Amino acid sequence: HDSIFVNPATYWYSRYVVSFSTFGGREVSGGAQCAWGELYDGTNTSARVWATWRASKHLSVSADFKRDDVDIPQEPAYGNRDRDGGFSRQRAGARVSFAFSPDMFGSVYSQWDVERGKVLLNFRVNWIPNPGSDVYLVLNQLWEKESAVYLLTDTTIATKIVWRFEV
């Protein structure tokens, strides 16, 4: 978070997690997780829930939601006399995964950052032309909220080729 100052020091990061999930191989699956622990000089508590529906062997749809509550004490010496170091962040996501064949599959993922008013879209295709080789094509887009409208602010296209050669 941009308005939080963290004192330079060496920190230990202790975190405790309790989670529950159902078997992911079923038609409908899901879970929940709660975590808490130290974060710099403060604390971080988070909760996450998710669910997946496998519509067929070629198509699955999933959704998740996560909330983080962070509290990092702020010292008056750093100009934060009227602010505390507490903030919350909520993110919601959805994914559609599809398999055209055992050698070609992909997904579309969207994540909405509620507080920052940003939406990330990710489209990925993976092709396996032969065992040990992969071709990836990825398109990322960032949409930011301006007034009441989301505007496209960034687009990235990337490709990666991994080819296995036998000598």
Side-chain angles (χ1 to χ4, degrees):
H1 202 271
D2 297 337
S3 65
I4 303 296
F5 179 82
V6 176
N7 291 316
T10 300
Y11 296 98
W12 288 92
Y13 184 61
S14 298
R15 191 157 177 82
Y16 305 94
V17 178
V18 174
S19 64
F20 163 81
S21 62
T22 60
F23 176 58
R26 300 223 183 265
E27 181 180 354
V28 176
S29 62
Q33 181 181 72
C34 182
W36 64 96
E38 300 169 358
L39 180 65
Y40 300 111
D41 319 12
T43 60
N44 178 7
T45 303
S46 65
R48 180 176 174 246
V49 293
W50 64 92
T52 301
W53 172 49
R54 295 187 188 287
S56 71
K57 65 181 183 180
H58 300 287
L59 177 69
S60 70
V61 179
S62 61
D64 66 278
F65 179 81
K66 182 177 182 185
R67 177 184 171 102
D68 284 296
D69 292 314
V70 175
D71 185 26
I72 299 176
Q74 298 294 284
E75 296 182 24
Y78 297 108
N80 293 322
R81 184 180 307 277
D82 299 327
R83 291 197 317 243
D84 65 12
F87 66 93
S88 294
R89 188 158 182 203
Q90 300 176 83
R91 292 176 303 276
R95 180 183 309 270
V96 177
S97 299
F98 45 90
F100 299 109
S101 70
D103 300 329
M104 181 174 271
F105 44 93
S107 66
V108 176
Y109 178 71
S110 175
Q111 184 179 57
W112 176 38
D113 186 328
V114 178
E115 284 72 32
R116 294 183 179 190
K118 295 182 180 184
V119 174
L120 172 68
L121 295 175
N122 171 273
F123 173 74
R124 180 184 63 190
V125 174
N126 182 6
W127 173 47
I128 304 171
N130 54 54
S133 300
D134 287 278
V135 178
Y136 299 93
L137 175 64
V138 179
L139 170 70
N140 287 321
Q141 290 188 323
L142 179 62
W143 296 73
E144 297 187 63
K145 190 172 186 177
E146 296 288 334
S147 299
V149 179
Y150 280 88
L151 301 174
L152 178 62
T153 59
D154 190 26
T155 299
T156 304
I157 299 173
T159 187
K160 177 180 176 181
I161 300 173
V162 178
W163 207 265
R164 181 175 175 233
F165 293 97
E166 292 189 31
V167 185

